[in-house]
Amino acid sequence: MTKAPPDASHEKNAGLPGGLRRAWGVADPAPRRGPKASLSIPMILDAAVSLADAEGLQGLSLVRIAEQLGVTTNALYRYLDSREELDLLLRDHALGAPERTERTFDRWQDAVAEWARSLRARYVRHPWLADLSVRVPVTPHALAWLEILLERLGGSGLDDVGTLRAAGLLDGYVRWSSAAARDLAGNRTPVVEGSAIIDLVGPLLVERGMPRIAALFDGGLYRESPERHEDADFEFGVGCILAGLTASSAT
C-alpha cells in the first residue's frame, strides 16, 4: 500500500474505482460518525496473506479473514466492497515493492534475467499468487515491477510495442513456471522416483508409437524428482526467451 501525497485531491482521483483508490492510498477518509475503525486495509491484507499462505486461495474467504481478525464479516465491508476488490489488493500486497539493486549489469539480458529471478522468488514465497486472475497491471507494486523490467529492456533495441510484448512474455513465463513447479512438487500421484508404474508404462510406449518417450523412460529421466531440476528448468526457459528477444531485436 502506498500513501497519497499531501496535495492529492479528492476530485483528481474521484474517477478511480474503490479498489484502485485503496491500492493507491487515495480512498475517502473514514466517516467521523459511527464506531471508531478498528481495522485497516493493511491489517486485513496481512490476515488474508497469512491464510492464503497456509491454505491456498481455496481456504481464503471474507468469512475466514473476519474470523482471524475477530470481527464480523459485515465489519470488513467498511473497508472492502467485494471479494474481487480483495483479490486486487491482495495480489499487490503480496507481490510487494521490488527491491532496488545497486548492482550493475554488463548486458541487458543479465539485468532482465535477474528481474525474472526476483519475481519468481515472490511466487515461491506466496505460491497462490499464480492462482489469482491475470490482470493488466494498474496497482502500485505491479506497476513498479513493470517499470523496472521496461527499464532493463531498454537496451534490447526493441520498439515500444515489442518491449511491452516482451514484458508480458517474461511476466507470464515467471507466473506459469512457478505454478508448474509448485504443482509438480505437490503432486502425489504414483509416478515418482522408484515407482513400478514407470516400468509398467514403459513397454507400452514403443507399442503405441512413442519411441522417443520410451528412450527417456529407459534413461531414467522420468524417475527423477522434479525439484532436482527446478532452478535449471527455469533458467533454461529464461535463456530461451532472452535469446529469442535478442534475435528479434537484431532483425
Side-chain angles (χ1 to χ4, degrees), residues 33 35 59 64 66 88 97-98 124 135 137 145 147 153 162 167 172 175 183 189 191 198 209 211 235 237 247:
R33 295 184 178 181
R64 294 292 309 283
L88 173 76
V124 170
R135 298 175 181 270
W145 280 93
E147 174 69 19
L153 284 167
R175 177 192 179 97
D183 293 347
T189 62
V191 185
I198 293 176
E235 294 294 335

Side-chain angles (χ1 to χ4, degrees), residues 4-15:
D7 59 345
S9 66
H10 171 79
E11 293 79 9
K12 183 178 179 180
N13 302 290

Side-chain angles (χ1 to χ4, degrees), residues 32-49:
R32 294 184 179 181
R33 295 184 178 181
K36 182 179 179 181
S38 59
L39 301 176
S40 66
I41 294 293
M43 288 173 60
I44 295 170
L45 295 178
D46 284 343
V49 167

Side-chain angles (χ1 to χ4, degrees), residues 86-134:
L86 170 65
D87 287 350
L88 173 76
L89 296 172
L90 181 61
R91 182 180 190 279
D92 207 59
H93 188 70
L95 194 61
E99 296 178 3
R100 286 285 182 177
T101 178
E102 299 299 324
R103 178 184 173 187
T104 58
F105 301 91
D106 294 330
R107 306 188 316 141
W108 66 267
Q109 293 93 334
D110 296 331
V112 171
E114 194 273 343
W115 177 93
R117 295 183 197 108
S118 296
L119 181 60
R120 178 181 176 231
R122 303 299 170 96
Y123 279 94
V124 170
R125 186 181 307 168
H126 306 297
W128 47 268
L129 272 172
D131 295 328
L132 290 169
S133 298
V134 176

Side-chain angles (χ1 to χ4, degrees), residues 187-201:
N187 197 350
R188 295 296 180 265
T189 62
V191 185
V192 293
E193 184 174 5
S195 172
I197 294 294
I198 293 176
D199 295 327
L200 295 173
V201 172

